[in-house]
Amino acid sequence: MSWIAFLLMVILIQMLTILLLEYRMPSRAVAWIFILYMTPVIGALIYYFVAGKYTRRKTVRRKGPQLRAEMKQVWYEQIKSFKLTSSDITDSLTAEPLPNRLGRLLESIPDSPITMRNRVRVLYNGAETYDSILAAMEEAQEHIHIEYYTIRSDHAGQRFIEMMKRKASQGVEVRLLCDGVGSRQMKKGDISALREAGVYVSFFLPPWIALLDKRINYRNHRKVVVIDSRIGFVGGINIGDEYLGAHPKLGYWRDTHLKIEGDAVKSLQYIFLNDWLISTGEAVMRPAYFSHPAQKGSQSVQIIFSGPDTEWDTILEVYFSAISTARKYVWVTTPYFIPDPSILMALKTAALSGVEVKIIFPKIPDSVLVRWAALSYLEELMQAGVKFYQYTRGFVHSKCIVIDGSIAMVGTANMDMRSFFSNFEINAVLFDAATIRRLESDFQGDLLDCEEVLYDRFVARSFPDKIKEAVGRILSPLL
């Protein structure tokens, strides 16, 4: 009996510890307590290694605040030449006027200037994106900076690996930064071949290092390519055959990526170099990396980013503000829908106030638990008037939001709590009317490949399905 009492005391202490450490996010605390209750000893170990606060890690402090300050100084010197205000966007008449509150928020985001002299091309799928990136890499003369969550050693990956090796042999400075978990299946032979060819390769928090340092939960989910400071790419597409529709289960892969030329490329460059510093400890913020490009266009673009190392939850805050100030419509495409309480309330309030809210998400999931969690949110949102559409042609991986014809966002951030709080993410905020119309057209085209989730049928789902969704909902802050 004493052993039972001792065990109960240990569990109680562990629960109290979680409540004290996670009091700012009650839903996260509930999720961890549920795991602890189901697996008392294992749950405590998982919490110890997985749930540590990223910004408390000694390794972050060791990276050198002085180096980061020096990098920012170079960056701020560049910002002076192209930073705009939100009123400049409205005055340029490139889109519908922004709500004042949203405009002031965007203008106040640190290290994320609104830029004007850009040309943006929307890329619709993996094949178009790969061809565009490889063509730009072929023309590189000075440097190529590549950052991806996932790079595989399959056919698609070999195209990029061979291109990087060849450009490095031509004297082009090539850096490759991959996430240690997302790219864990990349073959060691390919990594060695890249390094032997002169490519600088680094992995962001490799699994064992991240586990021992209690940062395994924090992943670099960004997809960034910068070529000669002139051309940049950002969006949802990693490098792998599945993005070409070769996944045996998911089939056709619908995604969105952007090609950007102009001043916004400097923001992509800045973010890549900061991530390179975090990963390697090497500060390479050279003024040459921000050489002033020729004017490419007149489109306004803002690059925003967030991660566990930043003080702001920038992407979450922009999503919330944009949805809360919507006047006509909010159209969302996301592969993973696990909104935090603020986004949940913003969507409900927008729909109840007469704003048309439509959300596209996959019918065929790549994670069953994540799908259960997503479905758990549908009933209350549909009661408020939000409409959901399941993509049936294959797997939709696009992360895109279009609001009122005045603003659109494309990038790496899903509408889920992992993207909001745990991952390193990056989005492009777009204000150009023509680009927004293109994204509107893509959304309407995707609706043709969807089936609407009907409220009457959904509420009649089976009791076992509701139990699965309840479990997914409890765990959703950790997914």
Side-chain angles (χ1 to χ4, degrees), residues 446-473:
D446 290 337
L447 283 177
L448 300 178
D449 293 317
C450 293
E451 59 183 35
E452 184 175 357
V453 181
L454 301 177
Y455 179 77
D456 291 342
R457 291 184 183 178
F458 186 76
V459 296
R461 63 199 185 281
S462 68
F463 181 73
D465 284 342
K466 294 180 180 180
I467 293 296
K468 293 174 185 177
E469 293 169 17
V471 172
R473 181 67 167 262

Side-chain angles (χ1 to χ4, degrees), residues 165-457:
K165 288 161 57 178
R166 184 158 58 81
K167 296 307 293 186
S169 69
Q170 295 172 2
V172 175
E173 196 175 72
V174 182
R175 283 184 172 82
L176 172 64
L177 177 59
C178 307
D179 184 78
V181 172
S183 297
R184 66 189 180 279
Q185 295 179 348
M186 193 176 180
K187 293 179 180 178
K188 292 182 179 178
D190 287 332
I191 299 168
S192 298
L194 284 166
R195 287 173 172 157
E196 290 171 5
V199 178
Y200 300 94
V201 182
S202 181
F203 284 83
F204 189 93
L205 292 179
W208 283 111
I209 294 175
L211 182 63
L212 294 174
D213 195 41
K214 295 183 286 184
R215 291 192 293 169
I216 192 69
N217 193 45
Y218 303 109
R219 308 315 320 169
N220 190 330
H221 196 238
R222 294 168 183 161
K223 296 97 178 166
V224 175
V225 178
V226 177
I227 299 167
D228 289 348
S229 303
R230 299 181 300 103
I231 302 173
F233 295 87
V234 67
I237 299 176
N238 287 293
I239 298 177
D241 287 347
E242 65 266 38
Y243 294 85
L244 299 173
H247 194 285
K249 175 188 174 183
L250 302 177
Y252 176 77
W253 195 285
R254 168 71 181 93
D255 218 324
T256 303
H257 220 76
L258 300 176
K259 176 183 179 182
I260 302 174
E261 299 172 87
D263 286 329
V265 178
K266 294 181 180 180
S267 294
L268 298 177
Q269 184 82 284
Y270 173 73
I271 292 164
F272 172 87
L273 295 174
N274 266 288
D275 289 346
W276 186 263
L277 171 64
I278 292 172
S279 179
T280 68
E282 178 189 12
V284 288
M285 182 69 82
R286 302 171 189 164
Y289 288 148
F290 298 92
S291 57
H292 194 66
Q295 183 169 333
K296 290 296 181 181
S298 59
Q299 298 180 19
S300 298
V301 177
Q302 182 178 24
I303 303 298
I304 62 174
F305 60 99
S306 61
D309 63 333
T310 61
E311 294 182 6
W312 292 35
D313 297 316
T314 301
I315 292 176
L316 168 64
E317 291 157 4
V318 172
Y319 280 4
F320 174 80
S321 182
I323 295 168
S324 299
T325 57
R327 295 159 293 193
K328 301 175 184 177
Y329 71 85
V330 175
W331 294 349
V332 177
T333 305
T334 181
Y336 312 114
F337 181 73
I338 305 178
D340 92 310
S342 65
I343 295 295
L344 185 68
M345 183 58 67
L347 290 169
K348 289 170 65 174
T349 304
L352 288 168
S353 63
V355 174
E356 178 187 78
V357 182
K358 294 183 176 180
I359 299 173
I360 294 176
F361 70 110
K363 182 174 184 179
I364 305 173
D366 65 342
S367 170
V368 174
L369 186 57
V370 170
R371 179 169 174 80
W372 293 348
L375 292 176
S376 73
Y377 292 92
L378 265 61
E379 186 171 336
E380 61 184 299
L381 285 168
M382 286 194 289
Q383 288 174 342
V386 177
K387 295 183 178 180
F388 287 90
Y389 301 84
Q390 297 186 106
Y391 190 81
T392 60
R393 184 180 175 184
F395 185 68
V396 61
H397 191 252
S398 176
K399 304 103 165 45
C400 182
I401 300 178
V402 188
I403 297 177
D404 289 349
S406 62
I407 190 172
M409 285 166 275
V410 174
T412 68
N414 302 301
M415 190 165 279
D416 66 0
M417 284 184 263
R418 168 158 290 280
S419 286
F420 294 150
F421 302 114
S422 298
N423 285 346
F424 292 77
E425 304 281 7
I426 181 171
N427 277 11
V429 184
L430 308 169
F431 309 95
D432 174 64
T435 304
I436 292 173
R437 283 196 298 270
R438 162 64 195 271
L439 294 170
E440 288 174 335
S441 177
D442 286 350
F443 185 91
Q444 291 169 336
D446 290 337
L447 283 177
L448 300 178
D449 293 317
C450 293
E451 59 183 35
E452 184 175 357
V453 181
L454 301 177
Y455 179 77
D456 291 342
R457 291 184 183 178

Side-chain angles (χ1 to χ4, degrees), residues 16-126:
L16 290 173
T17 300
I18 290 173
L19 287 172
L20 288 171
L21 293 176
E22 303 291 346
Y23 73 95
R24 292 182 183 274
M25 294 186 66
S27 60
R28 181 179 163 95
V30 169
W32 278 116
I33 289 173
F34 177 79
I35 292 174
L36 188 64
Y37 178 78
M38 298 301 292
T39 56
V41 177
I42 297 175
L45 288 173
I46 294 173
Y47 181 80
Y48 177 79
F49 283 106
V50 171
K53 297 295 185 183
Y54 183 93
T55 51
R56 293 178 184 171
R57 300 280 64 84
K58 293 180 180 178
T59 49
V60 177
R61 295 195 292 269
R62 287 202 306 266
K63 289 304 180 185
Q66 182 177 353
L67 287 176
R68 191 178 289 263
E70 291 173 357
M71 292 174 70
K72 280 196 173 186
Q73 184 59 40
V74 175
W75 174 235
Y76 289 150
E77 289 298 320
Q78 298 299 321
I79 288 177
K80 294 177 183 177
S81 67
F82 56 77
K83 186 176 182 180
L84 299 177
T85 67
S86 57
S87 59
D88 294 327
I89 299 172
T90 302
D91 292 342
S92 68
L93 299 178
T94 57
E96 294 291 321
L98 287 175
N100 290 334
R101 185 156 58 92
L102 175 58
R104 288 195 298 271
L105 172 66
L106 294 172
E107 190 178 335
S108 67
I109 298 172
D111 302 342
S112 296
I114 302 169
T115 67
M116 178 68 176
R117 297 173 299 187
N118 299 286
R119 184 166 62 199
V120 179
R121 177 186 170 196
V122 178
L123 303 169
Y124 187 76
N125 55 32

